[in-house]
Amino acid sequence: MKKRILASTALAVVAVSPFAAFAQSADPASASPDTAVTVDEIIITGSYRRSLEQAIDIKRDNIGFSDSIVATDVVNFPEQNLAEALQRVPGVTIDRNRGLGGQVMVRGLPSEFTHVSINDLATASGSGGREVEFDIFASEIIQQVTVQKSPTAANEEGGIAGSVNISTARPFDYAGRTFVVAVEGAHNSISEEIDPRFSFLASDTWGDWGALVSFSSAQRTNRTDSNSGINFRPMFRFLEATGARSDQAAAVLERDGGVIVQDRRDRDETGRIIFQDKVGDRAYLNDQDKWGATLSLQYRPSSNFSLTFDAMLGGYETVEDEYDAAAYSASSRSTLETIHEYDDTTLADYGMIILRDVSYTATQHEFLSKERINETDYAQFGLTLNWSGDNWDMNALVGYSGAEQTRDYANLKHVAYAPSRTRWTERGGETIPSANPATIDMYDAPESYLFEAYETTFEQISDDKYAGQFDFTRYFDLQAFPALASVQVGARYADRSTERQYGSLNIQGPGPGDSSWTNTRTLADSPLTPIADLVPGGAYSARDLTWSQISNAYARSTFRYDGFFTPFDPGQYYEVGEEVVSLYAMADFEFALGNVPVFVNAGARYVDTTVVSSGFHQIQNPDGSTGYTPEPVTSEGGYSEVLPSLNFHADLTNNLVLRGAASETLMRPALTDLAYRRTASWNSFRFTDGNPALEPTYATQWEIGLERYFDNGGLLAVSYFWKEVEGVVRNELTGVVRDVTKYNANGTIDGVYDFDVYQPVNAEGSYEVSGVELVAVMPLDILHRSLQGFGVNANYTLLDSSLTGESDLGIPTPPVGLAETTYNLTLYYENTRFDARVSYNYKDDYVEAIGYEMYPIWRAGYGQTDISMSYKLTDWAQISLKGINITDEATVGYTMDPSFPTMYELSGRRVSLGLRMSF
């Protein structure tokens, strides 16, 4: 008897999805190696409720813990990209950058702890790291996403937090010839721009063959206005200065605040006296142009054989202009002049005194025109074979995934040193003229700002991955061992190569090596444009303020002389090669305990990894200058591991499922840590190396949950999970290089010294992360017939971690990025022609960083409301209206207490109108 797990992957499609007219059939070619499918073609009319039912079917039939979204969830939610669609999944949160979701975090762990694959191929990253930037993917080309939270032995390793598995469409997913086209226009409330979006899908089958092509393009023009008071600055910045600056700071503290400094070199004392580091006003304009395309060719002569070729191509270009008027209180020329207000009560528990309102002797006022041009191209190709007999399945896969990214950055910097007054405000901070006669109005004194430099950097990253996999499954019906349902074995080979080039150059005059503009040319020597005209949308919205700056277009054309280019720096180069061989074996068991059917999957995965890393090492030339080895220096490392896994579920009743899982898994080190390059600090007698011998960060984890399924497609679920993470990477002293000759600047020998070597290493010890997830998907007609068409989709995650520690000042500090509470709530209504949804997503406060290793900097809790409505005009045409962040929420940050804000950002609401037609 042949036993298989039914994976219902039928998709409901509405709104602007290009996959929208017909539903997916469960196709063996699209199933993962450990999930076979034996259902006939299914055709389903589109609805949001039906899409939830399909996601619940996938969750129920999966042997482990998982959550899915299908095409309706990805596209018909008012999402800007795939990351924002994934935030609806229980336990998933996202990082937002000026209103746009980017990287995905599962269960509170950093984004690099999540493994991402597309059509069973690990995804290349243009970031140069292991984390994937989800905003490069157009959501229209995605068919289904499953977040796998408990692995089986067949799942590719690499995600301690979990794995995000993305699937694209294939021709036999559709019933015959299909053509869908969609257009959309979206309006941003701040930029007041209207952005177009277009997508289509064409699919057909003829006999044993099928072909599908899809394409999506989208533009996004988004403006963000931001007022900020950046971070605490410890008073040792002034008190450890030489000469009169230190004496004056100590005198002003005693005169205006009654604070007598006992030891100016005792940072435990001076680090608790705080002033405001830097404040400013910034307007960002982010222009994005994104496209994605898929091609799928299938040969399926019978229900037990298919051969599929998948291709996925895309490009993502973003140009961001930032216009920044800022005041740097802690300049190298400044010190305290007058303390107008101080606070010794808010953070008194830590013995801290906060100078809330201060006049300074020589604030560094800056006008910065910044331009960031990032381009990413990605491509993926895969060939999949699925073949089955009466009691066996065979699956094979070969493929390539690659990404290339360039980052071109420029910053035109003008500076004015003058007395001024800086203070915290309710939302951020402000700098105003002080009582000193030499003060200036920083927003209206262009003749006071001197040209400092036109700073440029250029970075190139390439990432290439090749993979091959073979799986074989044998099904059993043994009288001697009836519990054994199947045995599956497999092997995978992966080869990854990442290369990075980086360089920087500052322009200070009209030609190479010319510095004649420095401290002579002023801001007033260039044409200035009011901020309301520099970026579309009119007046600055973060507060009642205006100023004028140099446009980036003028800066690029004026300050980049003929023949200019940014040379690469050998010290920033690295190349990392990684080969992985994985072998696995696992078995499925089906038996009954009394009247309770039990399904168990148990197995182990053997992983062998070899790392080869190259980089240039810094050396000191005989003339005392810094040089590099003539060729890259190469080092090798590697590790092997056995990763066991166990998953089970028991059908306590027809609709009540007890689910459990336990496993060991790993996350490979960051590529920047593996990079074998050496930098030298000659005055500190210190080398800093990469470490190709790094081993992964490991996790031992288990989870238990109870799931109640309802006949109308509803679900109530609760689970508790626990992880112990060890081998976290930290920088430590690892050795000494003896007898290093150090030269003086004039070429004479300074001496021969021993140099310490610091490297990233796997730290000893471990920490724990645990949490509870609650899920409720409920059509409300279960309560009363009058609620037909209404429903709720909600989830809640509560996290805890033993990693909570202390900063250098003994201030309690939770893990960076970990929000204790996240939840999503969607209310929906639908009938045969109309559907409407309102969705609220919330992520609690979390620590973004530790300033100076002393002060936790928090991102305040953020909740966003999105809506979606669509109406079916005819059987082949549908219009949709969507709104993102309809209540125009601001992004807020603070240091230690909300009364010390670090950021107040407005990115506006986004409203779109779309039309979808299917033929």
Side-chain angles (χ1 to χ4, degrees):
M1 179 177 63
K2 187 173 182 179
K3 307 293 289 186
R4 302 195 181 184
I5 300 171
L6 175 64
S8 175
T9 53
L11 300 182
V13 196
V14 292
V16 298
S17 169
F19 314 131
F22 301 91
Q24 175 190 15
S25 66
D27 171 22
S30 64
S32 62
D34 55 330
T35 305
V37 180
T38 58
V39 299
D40 295 329
E41 186 175 82
I42 300 174
I43 302 174
I44 300 169
T45 57
S47 77
Y48 175 67
R49 173 170 171 173
R50 184 56 181 156
S51 75
L52 292 178
E53 292 176 4
Q54 299 307 308
I56 290 172
D57 285 345
I58 297 170
K59 180 180 180 70
R60 181 167 188 171
D61 294 329
N62 196 326
I63 189 65
F65 287 89
S66 71
D67 290 283
S68 299
I69 48 178
V70 293
T72 297
D73 298 288
V74 175
V75 178
N76 202 38
F77 264 116
E79 311 297 8
Q80 302 174 85
N81 58 32
L82 184 58
E84 300 213 346
L86 284 168
Q87 70 179 322
R88 313 294 181 190
V89 176
V92 174
T93 56
I94 63 174
D95 274 338
R96 295 181 185 274
N97 181 23
R98 291 188 272 285
L100 182 67
Q103 295 180 349
V104 169
M105 297 176 290
V106 178
R107 289 180 166 171
L109 294 170
S111 58
E112 61 267 23
F113 281 43
T114 300
H115 180 263
V116 181
S117 65
I118 299 178
N119 296 332
D120 292 324
L121 288 172
T123 306
S125 172
S127 68
R130 296 193 186 273
E131 69 280 4
V132 173
E133 297 170 315
F134 281 83
D135 52 353
I136 71 174
F137 299 121
S139 59
E140 291 89 345
I141 66 176
I142 305 302
Q143 183 83 336
Q144 174 185 310
V145 182
T146 294
V147 179
Q148 188 74 31
K149 299 174 182 177
S150 64
T152 69
N155 297 132
E156 187 177 1
E157 71 287 343
I160 284 179
S163 297
V164 176
N165 306 314
I166 302 168
S167 301
T168 58
R170 287 170 170 173
F172 281 100
D173 296 343
Y174 296 88
R177 183 172 298 170
T178 302
F179 184 79
V180 184
V181 61
V183 293
E184 181 183 282
H187 176 266
N188 175 257
S189 62
I190 299 183
S191 70
E192 299 183 356
E193 296 285 303
I194 296 178
D195 300 322
R197 190 167 182 166
F198 169 79
S199 59
F200 79 86
L201 177 144
S203 178
D204 199 5
T205 59
W206 53 96
D208 300 336
W209 294 88
L212 178 149
V213 61
S214 72
F215 177 81
S216 171
S217 68
Q219 294 180 6
R220 179 181 183 271
T221 305
N222 205 72
R223 174 175 162 182
T224 297
D225 291 350
S226 174
N227 172 245
S228 59
I230 301 177
N231 208 349
F232 283 7
R233 191 66 185 256
M235 189 53 65
F236 56 69
R237 167 64 171 168
F238 293 149
L239 293 175
E240 292 182 359
T242 57
R245 293 176 62 214
S246 175
D247 293 338
Q248 180 167 333
V252 172
L253 282 170
E254 182 175 0
R255 182 194 69 197
D256 296 341
V259 179
I260 300 175
V261 179
Q262 302 298 323
D263 184 351
R264 299 182 192 179
R265 297 288 173 177
D266 180 2
R267 293 196 169 187
D268 186 64
E269 177 186 6
T270 59
R272 298 178 193 274
I273 308 171
I274 305 301
F275 67 100
Q276 198 170 20
D277 189 358
K278 187 176 183 179
V279 303
D281 292 277
R282 297 164 181 81
Y284 301 89
L285 180 66
N286 189 283
D287 283 315
Q288 297 178 359
D289 194 351
K290 175 170 28 180
W291 69 272
T294 65
L295 169 68
S296 183
L297 303 174
Q298 277 188 289
Y299 173 63
R300 195 171 74 171
S302 66
S303 61
N304 63 356
F305 181 88
S306 69
L307 184 66
T308 306
F309 171 77
D310 293 305
M312 181 176 177
L313 302 172
Y316 178 75
E317 180 179 355
T318 176
V319 178
E320 183 176 78
D321 293 309
E322 175 188 345
Y323 297 103
D324 185 348
Y328 181 46
S329 307
S331 80
S332 59
R333 304 180 186 181
S334 190
T335 190
L336 305 182
E337 188 171 68
T338 304
I339 300 172
H340 304 281
E341 181 185 356
Y342 66 91
D343 181 342
D344 58 1
T345 58
T346 303
L347 300 177
D349 290 346
Y350 307 111
M352 296 177 67
I353 299 172
I354 316 299
L355 310 184
R356 285 190 174 271
D357 185 351
V358 180
S359 290
Y360 300 89
T361 59
T363 298
Q364 179 178 321
H365 307 86
E366 301 174 340
F367 268 32
L368 310 174
S369 298
K370 300 180 181 180
E371 182 182 47
R372 301 175 182 90
I373 303 175
N374 296 342
E375 296 184 27
T376 301
D377 295 306
Y378 66 89
Q380 180 169 307
F381 308 98
L383 184 65
T384 305
L385 170 69
N386 300 97
W387 188 16
S388 61
D390 291 337
N391 54 16
W392 56 269
D393 282 339
M394 185 182 75
N395 303 280
L397 168 70
V398 292
Y400 163 82
S401 178
E404 293 186 357
Q405 184 175 92
T406 60
R407 301 172 181 174
D408 185 352
Y409 168 80
N411 176 26
L412 176 60
K413 185 176 182 180
H414 287 78
V415 176
Y417 289 92
S420 65
R421 180 177 177 181
T422 296
R423 58 193 179 191
W424 268 283
T425 63
E426 182 180 356
R427 292 179 172 179
E430 66 176 357
T431 296
I432 59 176
S434 70
N436 192 310
T439 191
I440 62 172
D441 179 352
M442 63 170 285
Y443 296 95
D444 189 23
E447 67 286 343
S448 299
Y449 285 83
L450 297 177
F451 173 89
E452 185 168 290
Y454 183 71
E455 303 167 345
T456 69
T457 67
F458 191 78
E459 184 175 18
Q460 258 182 4
I461 299 171
S462 63
D463 189 9
D464 297 288
K465 295 182 179 180
Y466 298 87
Q469 180 167 314
F470 176 83
D471 304 272
F472 182 81
T473 304
R474 177 72 161 85
Y475 299 93
F476 297 98
D477 186 11
L478 303 175
Q479 293 184 352
F481 194 4
L484 180 63
S486 66
V487 172
Q488 182 173 331
V489 296
R492 187 180 185 96
Y493 172 78
D495 186 338
R496 177 177 187 177
S497 177
T498 299
E499 185 178 36
R500 185 240 197 186
Q501 298 265 20
Y502 178 91
S504 62
L505 184 68
N506 290 346
I507 298 173
Q508 296 181 314
D514 191 330
S515 60
S516 60
W517 286 340
T518 302
N519 294 326
T520 59
R521 186 184 178 105
T522 72
L523 188 67
D525 292 329
S526 299
L528 301 178
T529 305
I531 197 69
D533 297 324
L534 272 177
V535 289
Y540 181 63
S541 61
R543 62 193 187 110
D544 186 14
L545 177 71
T546 187
W547 71 96
S548 297
Q549 286 194 228
I550 301 171
S551 72
N552 281 318
Y554 175 84
R556 178 173 281 269
S557 64
T558 301
F559 295 99
R560 297 196 180 207
Y561 47 77
D562 290 342
F564 165 81
F565 70 96
T566 304
F568 288 132
D569 177 5
Q572 299 294 334
Y573 169 85
Y574 67 75
E575 181 178 13
V576 179
E578 185 176 75
E579 291 188 18
V580 180
V581 176
S582 304
L583 306 172
Y584 78 88
M586 68 182 191
D588 290 318
F589 302 90
E590 301 179 11
F591 54 91
L593 294 177
N595 295 323
V596 177
V598 179
F599 305 86
V600 177
N601 172 275
R605 187 176 187 89
Y606 171 77
V607 180
D608 183 77
T609 304
T610 302
V611 177
V612 179
S613 179
S614 300
F616 291 93
H617 281 200
Q618 274 191 346
I619 59 175
Q620 194 176 35
N621 298 319
D623 63 359
S625 63
T626 297
Y628 296 94
T629 54
E631 299 293 335
V633 180
T634 298
S635 180
E636 295 188 10
Y639 48 87
S640 59
E641 191 66 35
V642 175
L643 305 172
S645 62
L646 173 69
N647 293 269
F648 76 88
H649 68 85
D651 294 342
L652 303 181
T653 68
N654 287 337
N655 293 315
L656 187 63
V657 176
L658 175 68
R659 195 181 300 273
S663 63
E664 293 183 5
T665 186
L666 59 82
M667 182 207 72
R668 293 188 169 87
L671 297 174
T672 51
D673 290 333
L674 290 172
Y676 192 59
R677 50 179 178 163
R678 169 169 289 178
T679 58
S681 176
W682 302 107
N683 292 328
S684 300
F685 308 101
R686 174 172 171 168
F687 291 134
T688 301
D689 290 1
N691 187 1
L694 277 175
E695 293 195 356
T697 299
Y698 295 96
T700 301
Q701 56 192 19
W702 60 267
E703 184 165 1
I704 192 75
L706 195 64
E707 301 162 359
R708 172 67 164 91
Y709 295 87
F710 295 85
D711 293 338
N712 66 346
L715 167 68
L716 294 176
V718 59
S719 65
Y720 175 83
F721 62 88
W722 176 91
K723 299 175 184 284
E724 183 180 40
V725 182
E726 62 178 339
V728 176
V729 175
R730 292 197 172 95
N731 283 305
E732 292 185 4
L733 176 67
T734 58
V736 176
V737 177
R738 305 289 182 186
D739 301 329
V740 177
T741 302
K742 180 177 178 294
Y743 294 90
N744 297 312
N746 59 7
T748 61
I749 295 178
D750 178 79
V752 178
Y753 303 95
D754 294 340
F755 274 53
D756 293 333
V757 178
Y758 283 79
Q759 288 179 289
V761 300
N762 298 104
E764 296 182 359
S766 63
Y767 68 92
E768 298 176 4
V769 176
S770 60
V772 175
E773 285 182 358
L774 304 174
V775 179
V777 180
M778 192 61 59
L780 295 181
D781 55 12
I782 193 174
L783 303 177
H784 195 273
R785 293 175 58 186
S786 64
L787 297 176
Q788 179 71 35
F790 289 94
V792 175
N793 178 15
N795 59 76
Y796 176 88
T797 303
L798 178 66
L799 298 174
D800 189 23
S801 173
S802 67
L803 189 62
T804 299
E806 295 183 344
S807 72
D808 288 351
L809 290 181
I811 298 167
T813 304
V816 172
L818 179 63
E820 291 186 355
T821 301
T822 60
Y823 60 85
N824 299 279
L825 174 64
T826 297
L827 304 176
Y828 68 88
Y829 170 77
E830 64 182 30
N831 58 34
T832 55
R833 285 193 174 274
F834 175 76
D835 72 71
R837 271 163 282 154
V838 57
S839 181
Y840 183 76
N841 171 264
Y842 179 80
K843 181 178 180 180
D844 205 359
D845 296 31
Y846 65 94
V847 172
E848 281 191 294
I850 312 297
Y852 297 96
E853 303 301 321
M854 294 180 176
Y855 322 108
I857 303 167
W858 290 79
R859 177 73 65 91
Y862 179 84
Q864 180 170 301
T865 302
D866 305 327
I867 62 171
S868 173
M869 293 181 288
S870 67
Y871 183 76
K872 193 173 183 181
L873 299 171
T874 68
D875 290 340
W876 52 270
Q878 188 175 45
I879 60 171
S880 63
L881 177 67
K882 302 178 182 181
I884 297 174
N885 190 25
I886 59 171
T887 56
D888 197 14
E889 298 296 323
T891 302
V892 177
Y894 60 90
T895 304
M896 296 185 63
D897 186 88
S899 66
F900 306 114
T902 59
M903 174 179 59
Y904 180 83
E905 279 190 358
L906 290 169
S907 294
R909 64 177 63 87
R910 191 171 182 85
V911 178
S912 64
L913 181 66
L915 172 66
R916 170 196 162 273
M917 296 172 288
S918 61
F919 306 95

